Amino acid sequence: MITENGTVKVCTVIDENSQKEFSARLKIFYLLALIAGSIGFCIFLTLYILSVFFPIFDNFTILLLMVLFAVDVGLGIVIKIQYNRALQTARTSNKAIEYEFFADYFTLNEIKNGETVTTAKFYNSQITKVKNGKNYYFIHISAVQIFPVAKAEIAESELQILKTVLRLP
């Protein structure tokens, strides 16, 4: 909504969908780690068993590669657990962020269970990156401060203002 001051106000609900879109690359990474680690471990386990009967292969190298692929599987499992925890937290958080975009800065109010719990102000110079996702814009302030803005909540006239403020293409 465009306010009487010419600012843009947007409210984004933080839910499972925003977390899934934000973590899409992480999901691909843990799936690849699980698949590649499992296949590699099985191949080198087979080679290790064959090396008992055919002493062509170096057992130490095979064991080392088996351990490396097992670590790969373990890393995939740890990342999968963290991914699922993040989704569970997003499902149960009942949180929304209300943004107001001005010419040089934006403010946000974090609303949890209908009550404002955090208010913050960020200058446009603090924005390190704005990622254009499928359903959200992700405003990166730092590596740990990333704020989603739902595209569905933005009208076309508001989008033009936001493109100027956030330096979007």
Side-chain angles (χ1 to χ4, degrees):
M1 154 177 90
I2 298 178
T3 65
E4 62 276 354
N5 299 329
T7 63
V8 176
K9 271 191 164 182
V10 179
C11 186
T12 299
V13 175
I14 307 301
D15 59 0
E16 186 177 359
N17 294 330
S18 64
Q19 185 64 41
K20 278 183 178 179
E21 186 169 330
F22 176 69
S23 303
R25 287 186 178 168
L26 192 61
K27 182 177 182 179
I28 291 169
F29 180 76
Y30 82 71
L31 285 173
L32 287 176
L34 287 172
I35 293 168
S38 299
I39 291 171
F41 183 80
C42 289
I43 288 171
F44 287 106
L45 178 64
T46 304
L47 286 175
Y48 183 73
I49 292 170
L50 287 175
S51 71
V52 171
F53 302 108
F54 306 104
I56 301 170
F57 306 111
D58 179 24
N59 286 348
F60 177 75
T61 305
I62 293 173
L63 282 174
L64 181 67
L65 290 170
M66 273 178 40
V67 168
L68 288 175
F69 280 106
V71 167
D72 193 29
V73 171
L75 180 66
I77 290 169
V78 168
I79 293 172
K80 168 81 170 131
I81 290 169
Q82 292 298 325
Y83 176 81
N84 286 344
R85 281 187 186 161
L87 288 181
Q88 183 62 30
T89 302
R91 265 185 228 118
T92 59
S93 71
N94 195 17
K95 184 168 84 170
I97 299 178
E98 185 178 78
Y99 301 93
E100 187 166 3
F101 294 95
F102 295 86
D104 296 330
Y105 64 94
F106 70 95
T107 61
L108 63 89
N109 296 320
E110 185 178 329
I111 302 166
K112 200 166 194 177
N113 297 323
E115 181 181 327
T116 301
V117 293
T118 306
T119 301
K121 178 179 179 179
F122 296 100
Y123 290 94
N124 293 347
S125 60
Q126 292 177 277
I127 298 173
T128 59
K129 178 171 70 169
V130 178
K131 182 181 169 198
N132 187 359
K134 182 179 175 185
N135 298 312
Y136 297 89
Y137 291 111
F138 293 100
I139 302 172
H140 294 250
I141 302 298
S142 67
V144 290
Q145 285 185 312
I146 302 167
F147 302 107
V149 179
K151 289 182 177 181
E153 303 295 324
I154 304 171
E156 187 62 38
S157 58
E158 297 168 344
L159 183 59
Q160 296 307 318
I161 296 171
L162 282 181
K163 282 184 177 184
T164 304
V165 170
L166 299 176
R167 302 178 304 267
L168 294 172

